[in-house]
Amino acid sequence: MSGIMALADIGQSLPAIGVPALARRPTAAVLGEIRPLPACDDITRQWSDLARRALEPNPCLDPGFLLPAAQHLVAFRDTALLLLWQAGNEQEKQKLVGLVPLRHRRRMFGAATHEGFTDRRLLNGTPLIDRDQAAVALSALLRQQREAGTSRLDLTLGPIDPAGPFATTLARIAAGQGVDVDWLDGSGLRPDLATPSRLAASREALEARGRLSLREPRALPALRDAVEILLAQEASGADARSGRATLQDTREAAFLRSMSRHLGRQKLCRVALLMLDEQPIAAALTIGRGACCWLYLAVEDEALTALTPLSLLLAMMRGAAPARQILLPGGLPLFGAQRDGFAALRLTAGTPRSPADIAARMGRRIGQSLFRPRPAARGG
């Protein structure tokens, strides 16, 4: 295990970060380990436990999402996880208190490096941090990354909610360690949903053709059937004609099926169907639970686009669970007041090295690359 310690007194020196449990329990040293994502299937239990007690829940970093992504998607092939382990004692085993996705970069002249990982499917990039050990875990994260960068820290994470508990807690700890926190411009546009009057007119026109109903299957077999309905409906529309339908990419389709099945077992994935009699005319797949969920994929019957069946479906989903917000890619809320979306967060510290230092480091890396053993060939 390669890592860096975060000493016990770090958490006690920051009483104002809003984590009262730190004052009640002693904080043990935290070690950082970087492990390739495909090699993390043996820590699924500890990983799932951390996801449940995270400072800011994130279904996109749940093992039910990332492990299928590593299995099926090329973009996740070089992904690694920074695992933050809190040392245990004779009675207790070590505890996973943090998890951060990184991208493994192989370089021709130099040792491999790691940087923040982003992907369009990763709607939320907020790392998983134990809410009861947030101070020591985040301190260990900053120190580990600074050590990996030879005393200079430059790490970009995202997309992250600037007003969320992770960002606010990290900002306080970073200030105490002399780390600068900068927010990069977020992206994403909230679509214009049909107005209430237009929704009422569309509903009236559709009900004149048959009985409208909202279905959200809970049982796993029914959830799998709903996923297939969604995929088939997407493959019959404009996305298929432009070659962008999920079913036209075997890896993407395999990931979606596996991800929805794994998250569905934990009630973290739902598919809503708008039915006209027994015919589906719109479908939406969301991930997450609690106060908000993410809209991962949504489609509607192209022949009924003028009657806005997708907008009607989303409005009915909102009506069925008024306290539940639906978030779009970019973190923008689908309903309610407009607010800023998610953005990338950049952490920097230290001063750039002199030209002599840079030249010496390049020489060491060239020497390492010349004598580094070649990785074993992979089948497939």
Side-chain angles (χ1 to χ4, degrees), residues 73-94:
L73 300 177
V74 175
F76 286 75
R77 180 177 298 167
D78 293 327
T79 306
L81 297 181
L82 170 59
L83 306 172
L84 300 173
W85 297 96
Q86 188 171 54
N89 50 37
E90 295 180 357
Q91 290 78 26
E92 297 181 358
K93 296 181 180 180
Q94 61 181 2

Side-chain angles (χ1 to χ4, degrees), residues 16-35:
I17 67 166
V19 189
L22 291 175
R24 299 194 303 267
R25 70 174 62 174
T27 53
V30 173
L31 301 174
E33 175 196 5
I34 294 179
R35 186 186 297 192

Side-chain angles (χ1 to χ4, degrees), residues 142 167 170-175 178-183 344-348:
L142 297 178
L170 177 60
R172 292 172 181 171
I173 294 176
V179 176
D180 294 327
V181 178
D182 298 308
W183 290 97
L345 178 152
R346 186 182 182 190
L347 301 167
T348 55

Side-chain angles (χ1 to χ4, degrees), residues 70-353:
Q71 180 182 0
H72 297 291
L73 300 177
V74 175
F76 286 75
R77 180 177 298 167
D78 293 327
T79 306
L81 297 181
L82 170 59
L83 306 172
L84 300 173
W85 297 96
Q86 188 171 54
N89 50 37
E90 295 180 357
Q91 290 78 26
E92 297 181 358
K93 296 181 180 180
Q94 61 181 2
K95 179 182 179 183
L96 186 62
V97 296
L99 182 146
V100 185
L102 301 173
R103 185 183 296 280
H104 185 73
R105 288 291 190 189
R106 298 182 178 89
R107 302 185 185 277
M108 182 177 298
F109 299 107
T113 60
H114 293 88
E115 58 189 40
F117 175 77
T118 58
D119 184 83
R120 64 178 178 81
R121 306 168 192 84
L122 211 62
L123 304 179
N124 184 355
T126 306
L128 299 179
I129 299 295
D130 189 326
R131 59 176 173 266
D132 291 335
Q133 300 293 335
V136 290
L138 290 173
S139 295
L141 167 63
L142 297 178
R143 290 172 181 268
Q144 197 276 346
Q145 288 299 297
R146 180 177 287 179
E147 179 74 9
T150 316
S151 300
R152 174 160 173 79
L153 169 65
D154 191 346
L155 177 66
T156 301
L157 303 172
I160 292 172
D161 184 1
F166 171 83
T168 53
T169 303
L170 177 60
R172 292 172 181 171
I173 294 176
Q177 294 194 18
V179 176
D180 294 327
V181 178
D182 298 308
W183 290 97
L184 309 180
D185 290 338
S187 60
L189 297 174
R190 186 163 79 169
D192 294 327
L193 295 178
T195 62
S197 59
R198 187 180 178 189
L199 283 177
S202 297
R203 182 162 192 160
E204 182 178 354
L206 288 170
E207 288 178 336
R209 303 185 181 199
R211 186 175 66 88
L212 275 182
S213 62
L214 171 66
R215 294 184 186 176
E216 292 186 279
R218 308 289 183 175
L220 283 178
L223 177 63
R224 287 197 295 267
D225 292 343
V227 169
E228 295 303 322
I229 291 172
L230 181 148
L231 291 174
Q233 194 164 64
E234 183 197 32
S236 65
D239 284 342
R241 291 192 296 273
S242 60
R244 294 183 290 112
T246 304
L247 281 179
Q248 292 174 305
D249 186 330
T250 55
R251 291 181 178 273
E252 199 75 42
F255 162 68
L256 185 65
R257 288 168 173 143
S258 179
M259 177 268 289
S260 60
R261 183 172 64 253
H262 283 84
L263 292 184
R265 294 193 183 104
Q266 306 174 63
K267 310 300 182 186
L268 287 172
C269 178
R270 305 169 74 176
V271 177
L273 302 173
L274 180 61
M275 309 294 294
L276 182 61
D277 290 331
E278 294 301 315
Q279 179 69 28
I281 59 174
L285 185 150
T286 59
I287 59 176
R289 63 184 170 198
C292 65
C293 61
W294 292 85
L295 185 63
Y296 188 86
L297 181 62
V299 296
E300 64 183 4
D301 189 333
E302 194 175 40
L304 298 173
T305 300
L307 297 178
T308 64
L310 181 55
S311 293
L312 186 57
L313 169 62
L314 296 172
M316 294 174 70
M317 292 170 61
R318 175 71 166 178
R324 197 170 192 232
Q325 181 58 271
I326 299 176
L327 298 179
L328 299 169
L332 296 172
L334 187 59
F335 300 101
Q338 182 69 280
R339 67 173 180 84
D340 292 336
F342 284 32
L345 178 152
R346 186 182 182 190
L347 301 167
T348 55
T351 56
R353 291 174 288 275

Side-chain angles (χ1 to χ4, degrees), residues 35 40-48 83 85 96 99:
R35 186 186 297 192
C40 292
D41 55 353
D42 62 334
I43 61 165
T44 302
R45 183 182 59 81
Q46 299 97 315
W47 186 352
S48 298
L83 306 172
W85 297 96
L96 186 62
L99 182 146

